[in-house]
Amino acid sequence: MFREAVIEALTRALGADAAACGDLGALLAPPPKVEMGDLAFPCFALAKSRRAAPPKIAADLAAAIQDAGLAAGGAIAEVKALGPYVNFFADPVAELQGLCRAVADGSFFAATRTAAPQRVMIEFSQPNTHKVFHVGHLRNVAVGDALVRIFRARGHDVVAANYYGDFGIDVAKCLYQLGTGQQGSPPAEGRTAWLGEAYVAANAPLAVAKKKIEEAAAAEDDEAKQAAIAAHTAIFAPIRAVLTALETGDPETMALYRETRQWCLDEFARIYAWLGVQFDHDFFESEVEEEGARLVDEYLAKGVFVESRGAIIADLEADGLPVALVRKSDGSSLYLTWDLALARRKFDEFGIETSIYVVGAEQTLHFQQLFAALAKMGYARAKDCRHIAYELVMLPSGKMSSRNGTAIPLHELRTRVTDAIRAKMEAEARPERAAWSETQWQATIERVAIACLKYGMLKVGTTRRVIFDIEDWTNPEGDTGAYLLYSLARIAGIQRKAEQTVALDADVPAGSGFGNDAERALVGHLQRYGAEVARAEETCDPSGLAAFLFDGAKHFSRFYQECPVLQAEPALRKARLMLAAATQAVFTRALDLLGIEPVEAM
RNA sequence: GCGGGCGUAGCUCAAUGGAUAGAGCACCUGACUACGGAUCAGGAGGUUAGAGGUUCGAGUCCUCUCGCCCGUACCA
C-alpha cells in the first residue's frame, strides 16, 4: 500500500522524467535510520536531464508531491527532502494494519512465491559410511536443509536428496583393518566412531608411504622412488583385495560390509532426526558404481573418453579444464565416474529442471569437470547443474582433522552443547519452568542447542570459513540462536500474561499514539521478509536470512524495552499486542526456513 | 606456474554501486518499584591490505602488486 502510493506519487511528480528513471520500485530503498523515513528515492540519475544538483531536485520533488497532496489513501504520512534523497514516511497505523491483515490472511507469506517455479533437486549432506560424522559435516546439513526450505518457500517443487558414500576404497580400508583383528571388537556405543578409527588406522601407513614417494620424486631420486612405490604397493595390495572382494560380492566380505554399513546408516538417521532434517530420496554410491563403469565403456566406445597413461580420461582442454580421470589404470572407478551416472539418473528419473549440489568449496574443480564432462557426453542438461560451494569449518585452534582427533564427533558434540545450555538455564530459575517434566526440559534444551548450532553455521556467508567455538556459540550474550529464541520466549510471555488474545485481522485502533521510532522500525523491518527470502534463493546463501532474524530480534528488544505492552492504554495496548503477534509469526516462519524451531519459554 | 576463494574495528563477521562503512564479543559508563537482565542505552575503537582506473558516487566493478587458504589425473 505505502510502497505503491510512493511509486504513484513519484510517477506523477516526475512527469516525463519518470521513464528516464527506469523501474522506480527498484530505486526505492529504506534509509539507513528510521528517523529518516521508511522509503527513500535517490535523485542522482535525474541530475543530467534536469540540469540541476541532486539535493535541489530532491527538494523540488518533495515540494511537488506535498503540493499535490498526500491524502490519497492516507498511506504516506510525510514526505521531505534529505540531501539528494526524497524520503517518505509511512503512516504507522496503516502499515501495522496492512502487515497484520496480510499475515492473518496468508498473503504475507504467499508473496514469497516466485512467478517461475521449477522442479529442483538439492543434493546435500553426502555422509561417508565407515567414517566419523563430525562438526564439519554439520555445516553442509544446515546449509542444504535451509536451501530446501527456502526454495520451497519460493514455491519450487523441491526434491531433497542425500547421497551416501557407502562404497569405494575408503570403505575397503576400514573393512581391511577390521579383518586384521587389530581393532578389537565393536563397543556397545559409538560404533560408527569406532569404524572411523579403523579407517584412520588403515589409512595412516598408506599416507606415510605416499609421502615418501612424493619426497623421492621431488628429490629426483629414481631408485628411492621405485623402492617407495614398492613399499606402498605392498601395503595397498591387501586393501585392494578387499575392494575386489566387495566388487565381486565375496560372501564373507559382503556380510561384514552390510552389517557395518547399516550401523552407519542407523547413526545418520538418528542425527537427521535430531536435527529435524528430512530427505525425499536417498542415493548410494554402491548403486551407481556399476552404472558408472558401464557409462565409461559406452563413452569410451563413442570416443568421448580416451585412454591415457593406462587410465581412461575425459579430455576437457576445450573447456580450459585439466583432464578428468574416469577410470583408474587398475580398472576401478572414481567419485567422478559415479557422479556422472548419478547426474544422468537425476534428470532422467526425477524429471527435475535444476540440479543443485551442496558440496565444499574444495571440490569446485570436481564439479567444473563433472558438468563439462556431461556436456561433452551430449547432455544438454549440464547447464542446469549448479554447485553451491561453502567453506570449511575451523576450530579456534585451527583446521580440524579426524586424524589427530580434533574433529568433534557429532554424538560428543550433542552432549557438550546440551550440557552447556542446561547449565545456563539452571543458573536462573523461571516460574514458567517450575512445573516442567524432565521431558519438557530435555525438549527445550535440545531446541536451544540446535538453534545455536544451526544459526552459528548459517550466519556466516557460504564463501567464508566458519569458526566453531562451543563457548561462543552456546554461552554468549549476543549474536546467537539463543538470542533469537529468547525474543520469541518474551513474546510468548507477554501473550501468556495478556488476559485476552488479539486477532491479527482485528482493526488497529486509531489515535492510540502508536508509531514511535521503535515501533516503526520493527514494522518496517518485518516488511522486508519477502525480499530477504527472494535474495536467499537467488544467492543460494541463507546467511542473509540469519541476519534478518538477528536484526529483527534487536528491533524487537528495543521495542520491548521502550514500549510497555500490557500496561499501555487499551488502544495502544491492542496495537502493540498485534505488533507482537505479527513479529512472532514472521520470526517463526523465518526461523523455520533455517530449520530452527522456537520455544515458548526457556 | 595456472585456476578459484578470502583480505573491513583488538577478535568474529555485516554492508542489491548510494546518505556519517555497521553489528556481536572483549573493554569503559549508565538504565527500570516494569511484560523475562540470555536485556536495553551510551562511549571508545577504521587510511575497508596497497597502487592506479571506471562512475555524479567504489568496501563493492576493472587492471596491477602483496599476503593467507583451497584445488591442480589414478583420494573422496
Side-chain angles (χ1 to χ4, degrees), chain A residues 50-386:
Chain A
R50 291 209 169 191
R51 305 190 132 286
K56 169 90 166 63
I57 299 169
D60 291 347
L61 278 175
I65 292 167
Q66 190 77 52
D67 291 347
L70 301 173
I76 303 173
E78 191 184 350
V79 57
K80 61 179 176 188
L82 226 67
Y85 293 87
V86 184
N87 289 12
F88 297 87
F89 291 73
D91 176 66
V93 171
E95 279 297 276
L96 178 62
Q97 184 73 75
L99 171 69
C100 290
R101 284 247 159 80
V103 170
D105 70 19
S107 60
F108 184 85
F109 298 114
T112 59
R113 291 175 168 268
T114 170
Q118 282 200 320
R119 187 160 162 82
V120 181
M121 178 172 281
I122 301 179
E123 180 200 297
F124 67 102
S125 195
Q126 306 107 340
N128 289 316
T129 63
H130 303 81
K131 286 185 188 176
V132 67
F133 193 107
H134 58 73
V135 207
H137 300 120
L138 201 56
R139 186 174 192 187
N140 183 299
V141 178
V143 170
D145 183 54
L147 289 179
V148 167
R149 292 161 182 270
I150 289 162
F151 271 71
R152 285 189 176 139
R154 291 282 286 157
H156 295 293
D157 177 16
V158 181
V159 181
N162 201 342
Y163 179 39
Y164 296 88
D166 66 337
F167 193 81
I169 194 66
D170 284 352
V171 173
K173 284 174 188 171
C174 173
L175 297 185
Y176 162 79
Q177 184 69 17
L178 297 186
T180 63
Q182 292 169 21
Q183 207 60 30
S185 51
E189 296 226 1
R191 285 187 296 194
T192 58
W194 178 75
L195 291 175
E197 287 163 19
Y199 160 76
V200 171
N203 197 50
L206 278 173
V208 170
K210 219 165 188 175
K211 199 174 174 192
K212 277 186 183 163
I213 297 174
E214 281 165 19
E215 283 168 0
E220 294 184 16
D221 185 341
D222 224 41
E223 201 174 313
K225 188 181 164 188
Q226 291 310 317
I229 289 175
H232 180 273
T233 306
I235 302 169
F236 187 66
I239 294 171
R240 182 68 184 84
V242 174
L243 181 60
T244 305
L246 271 178
E247 286 170 334
T248 56
D250 168 65
E252 198 180 323
T253 311
M254 287 307 287
L256 181 63
Y257 170 65
R258 287 203 189 97
E259 184 184 14
T260 50
R261 173 180 179 272
Q262 195 58 48
W263 293 349
C264 299
L265 296 182
D266 291 345
E267 170 75 5
F268 297 149
R270 281 194 293 275
I271 291 169
Y272 297 136
W274 181 59
L275 293 170
V277 172
Q278 292 182 337
F279 296 95
D280 301 307
H281 190 81
D282 291 333
F283 292 108
F284 296 90
E285 281 181 0
S286 57
E287 68 181 349
V288 286
E289 186 267 334
E290 281 186 42
E291 204 176 324
R294 281 199 303 277
L295 183 146
V296 173
D297 288 333
E298 187 186 336
Y299 286 91
L300 181 61
K302 287 181 180 170
V304 175
F305 296 156
V306 292
E307 206 173 327
S308 169
R309 300 186 210 168
I312 312 294
I313 60 152
D315 183 349
L316 304 173
E317 205 184 339
D319 299 283
L321 293 170
V323 295
L325 202 65
V326 295
R327 179 179 290 164
K328 295 196 266 186
S329 51
D330 70 359
S332 60
S333 52
L334 303 102
Y335 183 39
L336 180 62
T337 323
W338 308 330
D339 247 345
L340 285 169
L342 183 62
R344 223 163 49 157
R345 280 187 56 175
K346 284 180 176 179
F347 283 113
D348 294 353
E349 292 177 20
F350 291 83
I352 55 166
E353 295 165 284
T354 297
S355 186
I356 289 175
Y357 297 78
V358 181
V359 182
E362 69 278 8
Q363 293 187 37
T364 300
L365 177 59
H366 166 82
F367 283 101
Q368 288 176 337
Q369 290 181 320
L370 171 65
F371 303 155
L374 284 169
K376 196 177 167 97
M377 285 158 59
Y379 248 69
R381 312 303 304 276
K383 67 171 170 38
D384 302 318
C385 296
R386 184 166 173 193

Side-chain angles (χ1 to χ4, degrees), chain A residues 418-441:
Chain A
T418 50
D419 286 354
I421 303 289
R422 183 184 283 271
K424 179 73 183 167
M425 280 176 64
E426 285 174 346
E428 195 191 352
R430 288 291 313 168
E432 288 85 357
R433 306 193 298 244
W436 279 11
S437 65
E438 177 53 29
T439 320
Q440 276 169 298
W441 267 96

